[in-house]
C-alpha cells in the first residue's frame, strides 16, 4: 500500500511539473521581414522589440541581415503587442535597456505591422541640399575644387534643409574620392545643426577658419595619403557627395550608414554662381513587415 502511494505521488509530481512546464513555454512566433538594412560591424547588433502597452519585450539581437527571421515570445505578450521596434545596440553592451538609436518602428493592425523610419525621423519629402566648392581654410588659390561646404555664399544661408534628429542619431557629410585602391567614401564631418560647423576639420588647414556650416577642405595631403593613398589635393568635380544619418554612438566611424537621405553629383566647380544640387534618396530607406504567427 505504501509503495502504491509513493508511485501515485511520484506520478502526480511529474504530471504537474509537465503542466507547469507547458505553461511556462506557451510561446508564439513573430516573423520579421525587412529589406534595405546593412550588416553591422564592430560588435554592434540590431535588437527586435515588441511594444506591449507601455512596456518593451525583447525578441533578441542579430547582426546579419538575412530575412525573414522568426522570433518567439510568450503568447500573452505576442497577443498584447501593439507595436514593433528595431534598435541598434552598441557592441558588448550589457544593458537590457533599449538604446536611443531606434531605426524602425510600426504599429500592429490586426496581426501585421508595417515598419519604417517615419516615427523616428519624420518626413523627408521637403528635404533639400545644395553646396559649393571652395577651400577657405588655406591660402592656396589653385585648389578651390578640393573643398565642399553645405551653404549658399550669395545669401549666407545654410544649404541643407533637414528634419531635426532625435537623440541617438547625427547627420554626416561624405564625398566619394579616388583612393589608391579605388573609390573611397571620406567623411566631411558629423553635425546636428545645419546652421553650424560640423564636428570634424581634420582634412582642412589650420591657417583660416572655415564657414560656420558643415563641410571640409581636403588639403591635408599628409593625412589623405596616410589613410587613402591620395597624394595630391583631390578635384571634387564629377565626384559624389551625400548625407547620411548615423547612429550615435557610431558602430563604424569609417563607413557611411545605410540611411542616406540626400545625394548628388558635383557638377559646378568653385567660383560658379550656381550651387550643386542634391536629390532626395529616401527610396533607399529600409522598410519591412512584422507578423504575429
Amino acid at each position: 500500500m505504501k509503495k502504491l502511494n509513493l508511485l501515485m505521488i511520484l506520478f502526480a509530481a511529474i504530471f504537474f511539473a509537465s503542466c507547469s512546464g507547458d505553461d511556462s513555454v506557451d510561446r508564439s512566433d513573430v516573423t520579421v521581414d525587412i529589406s534595405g538594412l546593412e550588416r553591422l560591424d564592430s560588435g554592434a547588433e540590431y535588437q527586435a522589440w515588441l511594444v506591449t502597452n507601455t512596456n518593451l519585450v525583447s525578441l533578441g539581437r542579430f547582426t546579419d541581415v538575412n530575412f525573414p527571421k522568426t522570433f518567439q515570445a510568450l503568447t500573452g505578450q505576442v497577443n498584447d503587442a501593439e507595436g514593433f521596434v528595431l534598435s541598434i545596440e552598441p557592441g558588448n553592451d550589457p544593458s537590457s535597456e533599449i538604446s536611443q538609436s531606434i531605426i524602425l518602428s510600426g504599429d500592429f493592425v490586426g496581426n501585421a505591422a508595417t515598419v519604417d523610419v517615419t516615427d523616428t525621423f519624420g518626413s523627408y519629402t521637403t528635404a533639400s541640399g545644395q553646396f559649393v566648392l571652395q577651400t577657405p581654410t588655406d591660402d592656396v588659390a589653385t585648389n578651390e575644387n578640393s573643398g565642399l561646404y553645405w551653404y549658399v555664399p550669395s545669401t549666407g544661408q545654410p544649404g541643407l534643409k533637414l528634419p531635426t534628429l532625435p537623440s541617438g542619431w547625427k547627420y554626416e557629410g561624405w564625398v566619394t574620392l579616388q583612393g589608391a585602391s579605388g573609390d573611397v567614401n571620406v567623411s566631411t564631418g558629423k553635425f546636428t545643426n545645419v546652421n553650424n560647423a560640423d564636428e570634424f576639420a581634420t582634412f582642412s588647414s589650420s591657417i583660416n577658419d572655415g564657414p560656420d556650416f558643415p563641410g571640409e577642405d581636403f588639403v591635408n595631403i599628409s593625412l589623405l595619403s596616410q589613410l587613402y593613398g591620395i597624394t595630391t589635393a583631390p578635384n571634387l568635380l564629377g565626384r559624389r557627395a551625400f548625407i547620411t544619418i548615423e547612429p550615435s554612438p557610431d558602430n563604424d566611424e569609417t563607413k557611411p550608414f545605410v540611411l542616406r537621405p540626400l545625394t548628388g553629383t558635383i557638377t559646378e566647380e568653385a567660383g560658379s554662381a550656381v550651387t550643386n544640387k542634391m536629390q532626395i534618396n529616401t527610396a533607399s530607406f529600409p522598410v519591412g513587415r512584422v507578423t504575429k504567427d
Side-chain angles (χ1 to χ4, degrees):
M1 185 69 174
K2 289 182 179 179
K3 184 177 181 179
L4 180 60
N5 285 339
L6 288 173
L7 288 174
M8 291 178 66
I9 292 171
L10 178 61
F11 175 79
I14 294 172
F15 176 77
F16 285 116
S18 175
C19 290
S20 174
D22 287 345
D23 289 341
S24 65
V25 295
D26 185 15
R27 306 175 77 83
S28 296
D29 291 342
V30 177
T31 299
V32 179
D33 194 4
I34 299 171
S35 62
L37 287 180
E38 291 182 350
R39 183 182 178 88
L40 296 176
D41 297 317
S42 305
E45 298 174 297
Y46 293 109
Q47 187 161 4
W49 307 80
L50 291 178
V51 181
T52 305
N53 297 323
T54 58
N55 299 319
L56 288 171
V57 177
S58 175
L59 294 174
R61 297 187 178 191
F62 60 94
T63 56
D64 70 274
V65 288
N66 299 314
F67 291 96
K69 296 182 183 295
T70 299
F71 302 92
Q72 285 195 332
L74 296 177
T75 296
Q77 294 173 331
V78 174
N79 290 341
D80 292 343
E82 299 173 351
F84 174 89
V85 168
L86 185 69
S87 65
I88 297 175
E89 303 297 325
N92 303 315
D93 179 20
S95 173
S96 61
E97 301 295 321
I98 190 171
S99 76
Q100 292 184 310
S101 299
I102 296 173
I103 180 170
L104 297 174
S105 61
D107 295 331
F108 283 106
V109 178
N111 288 330
T114 297
V115 295
D116 57 29
V117 305
T118 305
D119 286 346
T120 299
F121 304 116
S123 172
Y124 280 80
T125 56
T126 61
S128 63
Q130 51 186 315
F131 57 88
V132 295
L133 298 188
Q134 57 182 214
T135 55
T137 65
D138 68 8
D139 290 330
V140 179
T142 58
N143 64 2
E144 292 300 290
N145 282 349
S146 300
L148 178 155
Y149 290 87
W150 275 277
Y151 83 114
V152 183
S154 61
T155 63
Q157 296 298 307
L160 291 169
K161 182 180 179 182
L162 294 165
T164 300
L165 291 176
S167 297
W169 298 93
K170 292 183 179 182
Y171 290 114
E172 187 166 10
W174 299 83
V175 177
T176 304
L177 301 179
Q178 176 66 47
S181 302
D183 284 352
V184 59
N185 294 314
V186 182
S187 174
T188 65
K190 293 180 180 177
F191 59 95
T192 56
N193 188 340
V194 300
N195 288 285
N196 293 118
D198 53 47
E199 302 172 359
F200 182 85
T202 306
F203 297 120
S204 295
S205 171
S206 59
I207 296 176
N208 305 310
D209 292 332
D212 197 21
F213 298 97
E216 186 74 6
D217 288 11
F218 293 100
V219 295
N220 186 336
I221 306 305
S222 175
L223 186 58
L224 287 169
S225 177
Q226 176 185 336
L227 295 177
Y228 308 113
I230 299 172
T231 57
T232 58
N235 186 345
L236 303 186
L237 275 177
R239 309 307 295 177
R240 185 169 62 105
F242 57 100
I243 300 293
T244 61
I245 306 171
E246 301 283 333
S248 180
D250 196 337
N251 64 288
D252 192 337
E253 298 282 354
T254 66
K255 292 170 53 179
F257 194 58
V258 66
L259 300 175
R260 306 179 185 187
L262 292 174
T263 185
T265 300
I266 303 170
T267 59
E268 303 297 330
E269 65 180 337
S272 172
V274 180
T275 56
N276 289 272
K277 300 296 193 299
M278 306 185 80
Q279 293 77 47
I280 295 175
N281 188 46
T282 52
S284 68
F285 282 6
V287 65
R289 182 175 174 84
V290 180
T291 55
K292 306 177 188 179
D293 299 331

